Amino acid sequence: MGHGRKKKRTHAVPSQEEMEKIPKTLVVKSGGVGRSVGALVSDVRHVMEPNTASKLKERKTNKIKDYIAVSSQLGLTHLMLFSQTEAGTNLRIGRIPRGPTLYFRVNKYSLAKDCLKLQRTPHVSDAEYKTSPLIILNNFAGEEKGKELKLMTAMLQNMFPAINPSTMHLSDARRVVLFNYNEATGMVDFRHFTIVVKPVGVTKGVKRVIMAKNLPSLAGYDDISEYVLREAFASESDVEDGPENSVTLPQDYVGRGNTKNEQRAIRLLELGPRMELRLMKIEGGLCEGDILYHNYLHKTKSQLEKEARMRQIKLTRQARRRQEQEQNVERKKKVKSRKVNTAKNEKTSDDDKNDDDEYDSMSDAGSDMAPSDTSDVEPEAKIVLPKSTRTRASADDFGADEYKESDDEDEDTRDAGMDDDEEDYAEEERKPAKRSKTSKSVAPKKAKPTKSKFTPSKPAKSGKAGNKRK
């Protein structure tokens, strides 16, 4: 099996510092725009590649603050915002995040597909969009043209990465973006071209043989000289490719035969889109702030001074308010930390107190439960008293020796005076209660009365005469 071709050329990867210096532009549309303006936005994104978000899908509800929020994460430096109103199509170009902002009115525009339709052999290649385009600013210089033109020049120039001719590769220059200022109309023309290199000093037939990948068909010719001499006349493009328009290639360039030290003519083919812009106003911030320039409104010197004073007063109030807010935040933080510390101290003191109480209770319980030295003392026998004397045992402690004897005499007297009915009632009370047949619950057992020598015994039954006392 054959092996793949080895890659001999190496591409230097830019460092992090170099990537941060490259400007990145976000091209979006704001609000509801038509289909043609949406196509124009897509074409402008294609122009700003590769340093833009080509596949961005924005919503109608997105605000400028939403784009500013993600600008730091994506490394965005500029914002191009298209919008459409009843008056026409507008374009805002702003520097992220603090401005300034240039407001343009788009008087005319043509899409990229319309520009390619005008060409007999349109030149389209995706490889040209892998590198940033070169920028050409024409007719912008001059002190008499005003400060707004200088600001516009700096803004447009900073939207594209800077180049270093001593270290730049010639093959990276594939496209050109042109801004031309028309002094007569005050318009700014926007164009987008691709760079094409062609041989110099040969006829059109020879150019086809040199530049084409496949040789042309010579079936209709008897000799090669007929093919060469048939198109020996000079065309308009051949006249343009004269010695004054030719250059010597310092490095190898893209295309067949474009090697170093070869004479080649430089041609520009338009890719589109086209736009005709008019500067309307300039604001100091990003789509907000003071108006630095207006195309229709002109203010006097006194009005400008008054606005400057009001601007200074506004900035002073904002600084004072910001300082007050910082002081309030610090004060609230101190109060909150003080409350947290107080709560922690109270909780610690409560925990210490609970620990002390628990320790005291444990020590008291330990002293009560501590066994005494009873090795020489014999344990006392537990004395169980009858119910009749258990409640009166405390009376003996106070020396009431005659209390029990008088109690016994009273009980004898009561037993002697008990009649037959009372004996029957007592007999019924001593009988156990019968269990109910329907209820399954077990009735609690009654404690049997303790018998003493003074309790009369159960009388014996003797026929119909009933019970008789023994």
Side-chain angles (χ1 to χ4, degrees):
M1 293 179 63
H3 297 283
R5 183 174 60 119
K6 288 187 177 180
K7 183 178 179 181
K8 296 181 180 180
R9 291 180 296 176
T10 57
H11 301 277
V13 179
S15 61
Q16 184 67 22
E17 296 179 358
E18 294 177 353
M19 290 296 295
E20 292 178 356
K21 293 180 181 179
I22 297 176
K24 296 180 177 60
T25 305
L26 185 66
V27 184
V28 294
K29 54 181 180 291
S30 175
V33 297
R35 183 178 299 177
S36 59
V37 177
L40 178 63
V41 172
S42 301
D43 292 343
V44 175
R45 286 180 185 173
H46 210 41
V47 172
M48 303 304 295
E49 286 184 358
N51 301 321
T52 187
S54 303
K55 299 181 181 180
L56 178 67
K57 294 182 180 179
E58 68 274 24
R59 299 178 180 176
K60 295 181 181 180
T61 57
N62 288 132
K63 305 296 182 182
I64 297 177
K65 60 178 68 176
D66 300 333
Y67 302 121
I68 297 175
V70 299
S71 61
S72 59
Q73 301 175 359
L74 302 178
L76 302 176
T77 57
H78 292 80
L79 176 67
M80 296 183 69
L81 188 66
F82 285 87
S83 61
Q84 191 174 19
T85 60
E86 296 179 356
T89 305
N90 302 319
L91 170 63
R92 284 176 280 181
I93 301 177
R95 174 79 178 187
I96 297 176
R98 297 183 180 87
T101 306
L102 306 179
Y103 284 76
F104 293 96
R105 173 67 54 80
V106 183
N107 290 344
K108 299 177 183 179
Y109 66 90
S110 299
L111 301 179
K113 62 180 182 180
D114 300 329
C115 297
L116 295 176
K117 286 180 180 179
L118 299 176
Q119 303 174 12
R120 179 179 296 178
T121 56
H123 184 83
V124 179
S125 176
D126 293 336
E128 297 172 351
Y129 294 94
K130 294 182 179 179
T131 56
S132 301
L134 306 178
I135 181 173
I136 299 176
L137 300 175
N138 184 38
N139 205 17
F140 279 85
E143 297 181 357
E144 68 280 358
K145 293 182 179 179
K147 296 181 179 179
E148 66 275 3
L149 210 60
K150 292 183 179 180
L151 184 58
M152 187 197 308
T153 303
M155 177 71 74
L156 296 177
Q157 189 174 3
N158 292 330
M159 290 174 62
F160 299 88
I163 60 174
N164 188 359
S166 60
T167 60
M168 176 185 175
H169 294 283
L170 190 61
S171 58
D172 293 339
R174 305 290 298 273
R175 294 181 295 133
V176 172
V177 173
L178 172 64
F179 290 94
N180 178 53
Y181 178 71
N182 191 345
E183 295 183 0
T185 59
M187 299 289 183
V188 178
D189 298 325
F190 174 86
R191 296 289 189 275
H192 182 219
F193 301 95
T194 181
I195 301 174
V196 179
V197 177
K198 291 187 176 182
V200 180
V202 294
T203 61
K204 185 180 293 185
V206 177
K207 287 181 182 179
R208 290 178 182 175
V209 174
I210 295 174
M211 300 182 63
K213 294 182 179 180
N214 300 322
L215 293 176
S217 177
L218 302 177
Y221 302 96
D222 296 334
D223 189 42
I224 186 66
S225 60
E226 294 181 5
Y227 174 77
V228 174
L229 296 174
R230 183 180 179 181
E231 298 181 356
F233 58 89
S235 61
E236 294 181 1
S237 61
D238 294 333
V239 173
E240 293 178 358
D241 298 341
E244 64 276 4
N245 295 330
S246 62
V247 296
T248 303
L249 297 178
Q251 300 176 7
D252 294 342
Y253 196 69
V254 180
R256 291 186 61 186
N258 299 328
T259 58
K260 186 177 180 180
N261 298 329
E262 290 288 338
Q263 290 287 331
R264 290 291 183 269
I266 307 299
R267 299 280 301 276
L268 296 179
L269 297 180
E270 189 171 6
L271 298 175
R274 297 179 183 179
M275 286 189 295
E276 188 177 349
L277 309 174
R278 179 187 292 275
L279 181 64
M280 302 300 293
K281 66 176 181 178
I282 301 175
E283 288 184 349
L286 184 60
C287 300
E288 61 181 4
D290 303 327
I291 298 176
L292 305 180
Y293 167 80
H294 204 286
N295 193 18
Y296 300 114
L297 300 178
H298 301 281
K299 298 181 180 179
T300 62
K301 187 177 180 180
S302 60
Q303 291 177 345
L304 296 176
E305 292 178 355
K306 183 178 180 180
E307 288 183 357
R309 288 195 302 270
M310 296 299 294
R311 192 183 308 116
Q312 188 64 29
I313 292 173
K314 183 179 179 180
L315 294 175
T316 305
R317 290 179 179 176
Q318 288 179 354
R320 189 184 306 165
R321 179 57 182 165
R322 190 178 298 109
Q323 185 178 2
E324 292 178 357
Q325 289 177 351
E326 292 176 356
Q327 293 177 358
N328 293 337
V329 170
E330 293 294 332
R331 179 176 53 82
K332 290 180 180 179
K333 286 182 179 179
K334 290 180 180 179
V335 171
K336 186 176 180 179
S337 61
R338 194 182 301 115
K339 288 182 178 180
V340 171
N341 295 332
T342 305
K344 287 182 178 179
N345 295 334
E346 291 179 355
K347 186 177 180 180
T348 305
S349 60
D350 294 341
D351 294 342
D352 295 341
K353 186 176 180 181
N354 294 334
D355 294 342
D356 294 340
D357 296 342
E358 186 177 357
Y359 178 76
D360 295 340
S361 61
M362 290 175 65
S363 60
D364 294 341
S367 61
D368 294 339
M369 296 173 62
S372 57
D373 190 7
T374 57
S375 57
D376 298 336
V377 181
E378 296 181 357
E380 296 180 357
K382 187 175 181 182
I383 303 173
V384 180
L385 299 177
K387 269 190 176 180
S388 59
T389 59
R390 195 178 299 170
T391 57
R392 300 184 182 91
S394 59
D396 297 339
D397 298 338
F398 298 96
D401 299 334
E402 298 178 356
Y403 183 81
K404 187 175 181 181
E405 296 178 359
S406 60
D407 191 9
D408 296 340
E409 292 176 359
D410 296 337
E411 190 172 0
D412 294 338
T413 307
R414 287 195 301 272
D415 291 339
M418 185 180 297
D419 54 358
D420 296 339
D421 296 335
E422 292 177 356
E423 288 181 0
D424 295 339
Y425 179 75
E427 182 68 21
E428 293 293 335
E429 286 293 332
R430 283 192 294 271
K431 289 181 180 180
K434 294 183 179 179
R435 182 178 298 177
S436 176
K437 294 182 180 179
T438 58
S439 177
K440 294 183 179 180
S441 61
V442 180
K445 296 181 180 180
K446 291 185 179 181
K448 294 182 180 181
T450 56
K451 293 183 180 181
S452 62
K453 60 181 180 178
F454 304 104
T455 303
S457 58
K458 184 177 181 181
K461 295 181 181 180
S462 57
K464 296 179 182 180
N467 299 330
K468 290 184 179 180
R469 187 175 55 185
K470 186 176 178 181

